[in-house]
Amino acid sequence: MTVRVGLIGVGVMGADHARTIVSHVPGASLHAIYDADAKRAKAIATECGAETVAASPQALIGDKNIDAVLIASPDSTHGALTMACIAAGKPVLCEKPLAPTSKDCLEVIAAEVKAGTPLVQIGYMRRFDPAYVEMKAAWKSGRLGQPLMFHCVHRNVSVPDWFTADMAIANSAVHEFDIARWVLDADLTSVHVFQPAAKTPGVIVTPVFLVLMSATGQLVNIEIFNNATYGYDVRGELVCEQGTVSLRSPVHSETSVALAQTVPYPADWRPRFADAYRLQNQAWIKAIAAGKPASGASAWDGYAATAVAEAGVRSLAEGRSVPINMVERPALYRAVSR
Ligand code: ISE
C-alpha cells in the first residue's frame, strides 16, 4: 500500500519534508500540497512531482485521495489543522509545536480522546536521531547507573531581530523539553530561566539558560543561544552515577591545511538532523501502512512540551522557579511511553 501524503505548508521546514518524502520514504507518495503562497506551492509540487496543489488546507484534508497529512504551516495554525485531520479520521504528523498554548493543545487532546484512536504524531524528530537513541539505550542498559543530570546546548547561527527570548524558549527549547522527557522517561516538574546580563547594546537575542527538575529527580540544564554566529551546534551529555554518554554530531570530514584542522558546522538544524527527519518520516509512514499507532511524540507529548514552555516564559518574566502543572494524562496516552 502506498500512503498518499498531503503536505500543508512548504516554507523552510515543509519544503524539506517534501524532498525527504519523495527521496527517502519508501511506501509514501506526495499527493497534494497546500501553501498560502500558491506560487510557492506550485514550485515545490513541480519540483517534487506532487499530483495536485490544493485550494485550501480543508480541501487537502478532505481529499479522498489523501491517506495522511503532514502539517508544516505556521505554528499558530497547527492546533486547528490537527483537529481537522482528527475529524477526517486521517493520521497526521504535525510539526512542533502542537500549538502555542497548553489550552489549545488540550483541545486537540480532547478531540483525539473523543475519536478514541491515536492519529496524531508531533514532529519532535530528535527522538529518531541516532545519537539520542544511543544515549537513551546506554543508560537503559544499566551500565551507567541512574541518570543524575542532563546538560543540553542548543545554538543557532542567527535569528531575526524579532525572535525574542520567549520564542527561544517556546520555539527552540521545546526540542530539549521533549527529548529530556523521552530520554529520562520522566516528566519535568519545575523550570527556572536565567539570562546573562552582559551583552552589546542593541543585541536583541541573548542566550537563555534554563534549569529544570524531572519527576524522577534529575537536573536538566539547557542553554539556548540563537545568535551564536559560528554554526548550528546541538550538544548533550547525560551524566549518570557510574558514567556519562554524550552526543556526537554526524561529521563526515575534517580538513587539514595551513597548520590548521577544521571540522564543518552545519548552517542550521536541517543537515544536523537530516537522519532524524528521514527516520521519523519513514517510521510514520510504516506505522500508517501497517495500521498501527505512530511511534513518535504524541499529542500528549506536544502538550507537555508546550506546558513546560509556558512555565519557562513565566519564569523568565517573574525571575523565579515556576512549577510545571499539567492535567491528568488520559488513558489513550498511558498505554505506552513512545
Ligand atoms: C526551529 O524552529 C527548529 O525546530 C529547529 O529544530 C531548532 O533547532 C531551532 O532552534 C528552531 O528555531
XYZ file of all heavy atoms in Angstrom, residues 200-243:
331
model
N 26.147 43.292 24.192
C 26.395 44.529 23.458
C 25.069 45.277 23.295
O 24.059 44.660 22.938
C 26.974 44.184 22.072
O 28.119 43.367 22.263
C 27.327 45.430 21.294
N 25.038 46.552 23.564
C 23.787 47.304 23.386
C 23.213 47.091 21.983
O 23.965 47.062 21.006
C 24.233 48.762 23.582
C 25.462 48.678 24.425
C 26.154 47.397 24.016
N 21.894 46.831 21.958
C 21.253 46.669 20.641
C 21.114 45.230 20.206
O 20.307 44.904 19.344
N 21.933 44.305 20.843
C 21.765 42.889 20.501
C 20.435 42.427 21.086
O 20.188 42.589 22.284
C 22.931 42.041 21.084
C 22.607 40.546 20.965
C 24.217 42.378 20.340
N 19.561 41.931 20.248
C 18.200 41.610 20.690
C 18.173 40.288 21.455
O 17.622 40.206 22.545
C 17.241 41.487 19.471
C 17.203 42.795 18.694
C 15.849 41.058 19.933
C 16.423 43.899 19.338
N 18.767 39.249 20.864
C 18.553 37.928 21.443
C 19.828 37.466 22.135
O 20.800 37.103 21.498
C 18.153 36.898 20.357
C 17.930 35.536 20.996
C 16.884 37.369 19.652
N 19.812 37.522 23.471
C 20.962 36.969 24.195
C 20.564 35.556 24.648
O 19.393 35.191 24.587
C 21.255 37.842 25.435
O 20.039 37.934 26.186
C 21.710 39.218 25.020
N 21.528 34.776 25.114
C 21.199 33.403 25.490
C 20.156 33.323 26.603
O 20.004 34.263 27.389
C 22.533 32.852 25.998
C 23.584 33.738 25.432
C 22.956 35.077 25.301
N 19.408 32.249 26.613
C 18.596 31.924 27.797
C 19.168 30.640 28.375
O 19.648 29.778 27.650
C 17.091 31.756 27.494
C 16.443 33.086 27.196
C 16.845 30.754 26.390
N 19.141 30.541 29.704
C 19.687 29.370 30.395
C 18.593 28.857 31.320
O 18.067 29.600 32.145
C 20.950 29.753 31.195
C 21.722 28.573 31.704
C 22.654 27.952 30.895
C 21.491 28.049 32.975
C 23.377 26.847 31.348
C 22.198 26.948 33.444
C 23.142 26.346 32.618
N 18.237 27.593 31.128
C 17.106 27.029 31.866
C 17.579 25.893 32.767
O 18.399 25.069 32.342
C 16.056 26.483 30.892
C 15.511 27.445 29.820
C 16.293 27.306 28.524
C 14.023 27.191 29.584
N 17.079 25.866 33.979
C 17.371 24.762 34.895
C 16.034 24.117 35.263
O 15.118 24.793 35.745
C 18.093 25.251 36.166
C 18.367 24.082 37.119
C 19.403 25.956 35.795
N 15.928 22.810 34.971
C 14.661 22.111 35.217
C 14.903 20.906 36.118
O 16.020 20.393 36.215
C 14.058 21.628 33.885
C 13.810 22.710 32.819
C 14.937 22.712 31.791
C 12.459 22.537 32.148
N 13.866 20.481 36.779
C 13.901 19.263 37.589
C 12.932 18.261 36.964
O 11.849 18.637 36.504
C 13.489 19.579 39.024
C 13.535 18.408 39.985
S 15.201 17.755 40.249
C 15.841 18.979 41.411
N 13.348 16.990 36.951
C 12.440 15.963 36.430
C 11.667 15.324 37.586
O 12.048 15.431 38.759
C 13.250 14.876 35.716
O 13.800 13.986 36.672
N 10.609 14.622 37.252
C 9.761 13.969 38.275
C 10.523 12.846 38.986
O 10.124 12.421 40.081
C 8.513 13.409 37.610
N 11.631 12.396 38.360
C 12.428 11.336 38.999
C 13.730 11.896 39.557
O 14.692 11.170 39.789
C 12.726 10.211 37.975
O 13.068 10.789 36.718
C 11.510 9.323 37.786
N 13.765 13.231 39.738
C 14.855 13.849 40.496
C 16.097 14.222 39.722
O 17.114 14.612 40.305
N 16.059 14.126 38.405
C 17.228 14.538 37.636
C 17.187 16.054 37.400
O 16.118 16.647 37.258
C 17.281 13.836 36.254
C 17.635 12.371 36.330
C 16.406 11.487 36.427
O 15.277 11.963 36.212
N 16.598 10.229 36.754
N 18.384 16.639 37.309
C 18.517 18.049 36.934
C 18.771 18.114 35.430
O 19.591 17.336 34.908
C 19.693 18.691 37.668
C 19.420 19.280 39.043
C 20.730 19.734 39.685
C 18.451 20.474 38.920
N 18.072 19.026 34.753
C 18.289 19.247 33.324
C 18.653 20.715 33.147
O 17.952 21.589 33.660
C 17.017 18.941 32.507
C 17.238 19.207 31.013
C 16.576 17.490 32.730
N 19.782 20.990 32.483
C 20.062 22.387 32.176
C 20.201 22.557 30.656
O 20.708 21.671 29.971
C 21.310 22.913 32.900
C 22.588 22.220 32.459
O 23.009 21.248 33.062
N 23.191 22.695 31.383
N 19.656 23.674 30.199
C 19.584 23.916 28.747
C 20.079 25.326 28.465
O 19.583 26.288 29.042
C 18.126 23.807 28.243
C 17.500 22.464 28.602
C 18.048 24.076 26.741
C 15.976 22.427 28.394
N 21.089 25.436 27.580
C 21.489 26.741 27.052
C 20.932 26.904 25.647
O 21.157 26.055 24.807
C 23.011 26.883 26.994
C 23.489 28.174 26.316
C 24.838 28.037 25.645
O 25.747 27.450 26.267
O 24.965 28.477 24.489
N 20.173 27.953 25.437
C 19.710 28.286 24.081
C 20.392 29.594 23.691
O 20.204 30.607 24.325
C 18.183 28.491 24.008
C 17.437 27.290 24.552
C 17.758 28.850 22.584
C 17.442 26.078 23.673
N 21.221 29.525 22.633
C 21.894 30.732 22.169
C 21.645 30.854 20.666
O 22.279 30.165 19.870
C 23.383 30.667 22.479
C 24.155 31.950 22.198
C 23.499 33.151 21.926
C 25.532 31.951 22.201
C 24.201 34.314 21.651
C 26.256 33.107 21.946
C 25.577 34.291 21.661
N 20.719 31.695 20.284
C 20.272 31.708 18.889
C 21.003 32.709 18.025
O 20.654 32.863 16.863
C 18.766 31.953 18.836
C 18.001 30.670 19.135
O 18.555 29.580 18.959
N 16.777 30.783 19.590
N 22.012 33.370 18.609
C 22.891 34.220 17.782
C 24.337 33.844 18.010
O 25.215 34.683 18.183
C 22.674 35.702 18.128
C 21.489 36.280 17.367
O 21.267 35.953 16.204
N 20.703 37.094 18.025
N 24.611 32.540 18.006
C 25.957 32.029 18.324
C 26.961 32.357 17.227
O 28.166 32.337 17.447
C 25.897 30.525 18.562
N 26.489 32.614 16.045
C 27.234 33.037 14.833
C 28.140 31.959 14.234
O 28.226 31.840 13.016
C 28.115 34.306 15.077
O 29.185 33.956 15.985
C 27.307 35.438 15.670
N 28.839 31.105 15.064
C 29.863 30.214 14.472
C 29.293 28.999 13.762
O 29.977 28.348 12.956
C 30.865 29.773 15.542
C 30.302 28.867 16.610
C 30.248 27.487 16.443
C 29.797 29.391 17.802
C 29.738 26.649 17.409
C 29.280 28.570 18.785
C 29.241 27.200 18.586
O 28.719 26.379 19.553
N 28.035 28.614 14.107
C 27.491 27.396 13.485
C 26.286 26.894 14.255
O 25.985 27.369 15.362
N 25.589 25.942 13.646
C 24.470 25.296 14.343
C 25.062 24.164 15.170
O 25.724 23.271 14.639
C 23.449 24.739 13.348
C 22.260 24.109 14.031
C 21.259 24.906 14.566
C 22.170 22.730 14.199
C 20.176 24.349 15.229
C 21.103 22.156 14.864
C 20.104 22.971 15.376
O 19.044 22.421 16.039
N 24.837 24.237 16.491
C 25.584 23.346 17.389
C 24.657 22.852 18.502
O 24.172 23.638 19.308
C 26.760 24.147 17.983
C 27.728 23.281 18.782
O 27.549 22.031 18.793
O 28.642 23.851 19.412
N 24.338 21.558 18.453
C 23.489 20.957 19.487
C 24.319 19.921 20.230
O 24.923 19.053 19.611
C 22.238 20.293 18.890
C 21.539 19.398 19.913
C 21.261 21.360 18.388
N 24.408 20.067 21.534
C 25.206 19.161 22.364
C 24.334 18.602 23.481
O 23.342 19.216 23.885
C 26.400 19.900 22.980
C 27.255 20.637 21.966
C 28.432 21.363 22.613
N 29.093 22.254 21.654
C 30.166 22.969 21.937
N 30.700 22.915 23.144
N 30.713 23.760 21.019
N 24.736 17.428 23.932
C 24.010 16.839 25.058
C 24.918 15.869 25.790
O 25.677 15.141 25.162
N 24.852 15.896 27.107
C 25.609 14.931 27.913
C 24.716 14.477 29.053
O 24.216 15.299 29.833
C 26.894 15.529 28.494
C 27.678 14.496 29.337
C 28.939 15.062 29.981
O 29.034 16.306 30.125
O 29.822 14.261 30.335
N 24.504 13.172 29.112
C 23.723 12.589 30.195
C 24.722 12.069 31.229
O 25.544 11.197 30.933
C 22.843 11.441 29.683
C 21.833 10.879 30.678
C 20.768 11.928 31.020
C 21.180 9.613 30.133
N 24.671 12.642 32.436
C 25.627 12.271 33.495
C 24.932 11.303 34.435
O 23.900 11.637 35.025
C 26.101 13.520 34.266
C 27.086 13.134 35.358
C 26.727 14.534 33.299
N 25.462 10.087 34.521
C 24.861 9.046 35.359
C 25.801 8.721 36.520
O 26.914 9.248 36.601
C 24.590 7.802 34.516
S 23.542 8.116 33.089
N 25.327 7.804 37.394
C 26.094 7.512 38.615
C 27.475 6.933 38.324
O 28.455 7.221 39.021
C 25.288 6.548 39.496
C 24.033 7.160 40.082
C 23.082 6.084 40.613
O 22.965 5.033 39.941
O 22.487 6.302 41.679
N 27.569 6.094 37.281
C 28.877 5.454 37.017
C 29.448 5.818 35.643
O 30.401 5.185 35.165
C 28.762 3.920 37.085
C 28.718 3.374 38.507
C 27.310 3.069 38.952
O 26.517 2.558 38.181
N 26.972 3.408 40.194
N 28.891 6.820 34.998
C 29.430 7.127 33.673
C 28.585 8.176 32.977
O 27.555 8.618 33.506
